[in-house]
Amino acid sequence: MRKAVFPGSFDPITLGHFDIIKRSIRLFDEIVIAIGVNAEKKYMFSLEDRKRFIEETFKDEPSVSVITYEGLTIDLCNKLKAAFILRGLRNPADFEFEKAIAHTNRKLSGIETVFLLTAADTSYISSSIVRDVIRNGGEYEMLVPKAVRIK
Ligand code: ADP
């Protein structure tokens, strides 16, 4: 059974995340999207909203589930018996950042990180840019799945 954890803030989920998750469905039997809770970070969307957006987006994909967690991602993987961490790579900056974390995680736990290169047409999208567009009243709808809507 190939089980992967896809950790992130998902504040909010974007079409970039969507692309990575969709493409990973045929690689893994089960994908747990894990929304990390960091008490020191300020979020635009509540944890409940971030979770709901993802649940609605993948409601027809039985192998995809969503949870929230605190603490180390490797501890979560061990608890869930997931042997893989899934991450997306957009650019060299992502690679440099992710490389150190992936090496550390494998050193500490043996858990492998699997990277998917983002699709060319979503590689420029980030949650922080989406938040900026929203704050300034722009057309964020074309950057996120349909479930992400501001009330
Ligand atoms: P974090 O706070 O952990 O970076 P994010 O929600 O921003 O959380 O990102 C979670 C994962 O999704 C990371 O692996 C990131 O590289 C990936 N990701 C974010 N945006 C995109 C995108 N446009 N295309 C592909 N992967 C992406």
Side-chain angles (χ1 to χ4, degrees), residues 6-11 14 16-17 20 41 86-90 94 97-98 118 122-127:
F6 185 29
S9 311
F10 305 101
D11 187 29
T14 68
H17 298 124
I20 298 291
K41 232 168 148 177
L86 174 67
R87 295 287 284 178
L89 287 180
R90 288 166 288 189
D94 271 357
F97 178 75
E98 296 288 342
T118 177
T122 54
S123 65
Y124 65 93
I125 302 175
S126 69
S127 294

Side-chain angles (χ1 to χ4, degrees), residues 33-51:
I33 303 175
I35 309 177
V37 181
N38 179 344
E40 273 156 31
K41 232 168 148 177
K42 281 242 177 284
Y43 299 101
M44 172 175 267
F45 292 94
S46 69
L47 196 55
E48 294 71 31
D49 281 349
R50 282 181 280 151
K51 188 161 182 269

Side-chain angles (χ1 to χ4, degrees), residues 12 19 21 26 28 40 42 61-62 68 80 105 107 126:
D19 166 67
I21 297 163
R26 65 190 189 92
F28 300 104
E40 273 156 31
K42 281 242 177 284
E61 297 289 356
T68 62
L80 298 175
N105 283 340
K107 181 90 176 165
S126 69

Side-chain angles (χ1 to χ4, degrees), residues 18 25 33 35 37 58 60 75 78 85 110 118 140 144 148:
F18 179 80
I25 285 174
I33 303 175
I35 309 177
V37 181
F58 293 101
D60 297 325
D75 289 343
N78 284 329
I85 293 173
T118 177
Y140 68 94
V144 297
V148 181

Side-chain angles (χ1 to χ4, degrees), residues 22 25 54-64:
K22 268 285 190 199
I25 285 174
I54 304 173
E55 279 168 350
E56 264 180 57
T57 302
F58 293 101
K59 62 178 186 312
D60 297 325
E61 297 289 356
S63 64
V64 177

